[in-house]
């Protein structure tokens, strides 16, 4: 299936800034629990079969080989100072690269890098300017010396926007593109979230110092001091932070045309936030998804759990193969996208039923276990998440159990389930 015809109906030329709107809905953070006893229709599961057809087949051997080939090619091309890098740059298709963020104490999102005929488009900008600066240098070293002309912020979260400023500092002409809703959310919450992330740092440093003091393992002490070093670097990086706001906004669709390939920026509905952008390159069959679809457990606190699966179904109508998510590894088919979608749908259904039955959140967290969730036990989702989440964060010793993340999701769904 192809969504070109639909997209072209409401395309916006990137030179036509008359379409730029500065107003946006501000209903993203309603925490309205005033109707806890509303009865909703039973959640239908027949949709899953429809989706299986829509999403195509399961993971194929060929795609695994292809990914291994890309990884090996990029390993050979890597610069000598390999261990200082914050990202691994992998080629997904011609002109399409995936900047896979290495584990850091203060997380960085991944970026999608699209190399066009004369310039570069980067999707998402990490948690701090120095991380974005590091990626800019790495792109120049490993991919192209063309300047970055556009930075797309898929959504307002701090780990995707706080590096924007580094692109401004290159001195090249750069525009920051987001939905109008995301711009509004950045202006409402950007500074507060940044401050909250900084305020958490002293406690995190104390905890690491305590842990190092208790430990008799030299390796664990070294791990703790590395975490402390990274936390202090984050503090220093964000000390004089100012928001770099979107300069180009749109409501539904925005088209970046180029002789190399086109990039379709689309808002498909509420999902991870009220303003998620998907960046679709039809010629290279690549889709950058931000945090609306990625390889970690979803983060739902700012989300719309009842709308999210339907939004993914809309996205899935397009013809794509490479999924470049905001966290976790590059996907070369739709397995993880389907798994995550089904998990959100199933857990939301369970929380809704639990709420109707008058269950407390703590009781739901006991009942809705990883082992009992069909979506977790299908297509290897539990095994995938366990492996990927552990690899995505700095670890010493056992990573926290997956159920901890599911419990957070249950709590967040309970709080957000009435959002539309
Ligand atoms: Zn993120
Ligand atoms: Zn996010």
């Amino acid at each position: 299936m192809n969504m070109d015809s639909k997209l072209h109906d409401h395309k916006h030329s990137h030179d036509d800034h008359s379409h730029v709107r500065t107003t946006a809905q501000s209903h993203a953070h309603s925490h309205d629990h005033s109707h806890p006893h509303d009865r909703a229709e039973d959640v239908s599961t027949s949709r899953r079969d429809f989706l299986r057809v829509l999403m195509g087949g399961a993971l194929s051997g060929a795609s695994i080989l292809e990914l291994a080939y890309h990884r090996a090619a990029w390993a050979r091309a890597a610069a000598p100072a390999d261990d200082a890098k914050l990202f691994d740059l992998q080629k997904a298709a011609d002109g399409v690269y995936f900047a896979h963020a290495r584990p850091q104490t203060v997380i960085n999102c991944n970026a999608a890098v699209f190399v066009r005929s004369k310039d570069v488009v980067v999707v998402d900008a990490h948690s701090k300017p120095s991380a974005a600066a590091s990626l800019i240098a790495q792109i120049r070293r490993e991919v192209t010396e063309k300047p970055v002309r556009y930075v797309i912020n898929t959504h307002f979260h701090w780990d995707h926007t706080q590096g924007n400023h580094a692109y401004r500092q290159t001195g090249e002409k750069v525009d920051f593109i987001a939905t109008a809703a995301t711009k509004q959310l950045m202006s409402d919450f950007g500074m507060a979230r940044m401050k909250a992330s900084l305020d958490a740092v002293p406690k995190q440093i104390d905890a690491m110092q305590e842990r190092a003091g208790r430990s008799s393992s030299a390796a664990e002490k070294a791990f703790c001091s590395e975490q402390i070093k990274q936390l202090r670097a984050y503090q220093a990086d964000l000390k004089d932070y100012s928001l770099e706001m979107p300069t180009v906004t749109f409501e539904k669709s925005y088209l970046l045309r180029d002789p190399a390939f086109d990039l379709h920026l689309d808002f498909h509905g509420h999902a991870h936030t009220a303003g998620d952008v998907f960046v679709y390159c039809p010629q290279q069959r690549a889709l950058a998804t931000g945090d609306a679809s990625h390889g970690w457990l979803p983060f739902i606190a700012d989300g719309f759990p009842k709308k999210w699966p339907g939004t993914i179904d809309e996205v899935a109508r397009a013809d794509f193969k490479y999924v470049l998510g905001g966290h976790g590894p590059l996907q070369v088919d739709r397995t993880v996208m389907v798994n995550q979608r089904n998990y959100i749908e199933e857990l939301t259904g369970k929380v809704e039923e639990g709420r109707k039955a008058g269950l407390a959140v703590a009781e739901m967290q006991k009942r809705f276990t990883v082992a009992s969730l069909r979506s977790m036990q299908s297509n290897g989702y539990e095994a995938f998440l366990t492996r990927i989440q552990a690899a995505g964060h700095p670890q010493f010793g056992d990573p926290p159990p997956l159920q901890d993340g599911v419990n957070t999701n249950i709590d967040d769904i309970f709080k957000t389930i009435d959002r539309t």
Side-chain angles (χ1 to χ4, degrees), residues 155 157 159-160 272-273 291 299 327:
H155 64 292
H157 282 156
D159 57 317
H160 298 251
H272 174 64
T273 70
D291 289 357
F299 175 69
H327 301 281

Side-chain angles (χ1 to χ4, degrees), residues 337-375:
M337 181 181 250
V338 174
N339 288 349
Q340 189 187 65
R341 178 228 175 271
N342 289 346
Y343 165 73
I344 294 166
E345 184 177 62
E346 184 184 14
L347 195 61
T348 301
K350 289 206 180 278
V351 170
E352 184 161 49
E353 284 166 23
R355 203 174 64 159
K356 277 185 206 169
L359 294 185
V361 167
E363 183 57 32
M364 293 192 220
Q365 289 169 334
K366 271 186 221 141
R367 290 191 195 185
F368 308 153
T369 61
V370 170
S372 74
L373 291 168
R374 217 179 98 183
S375 53

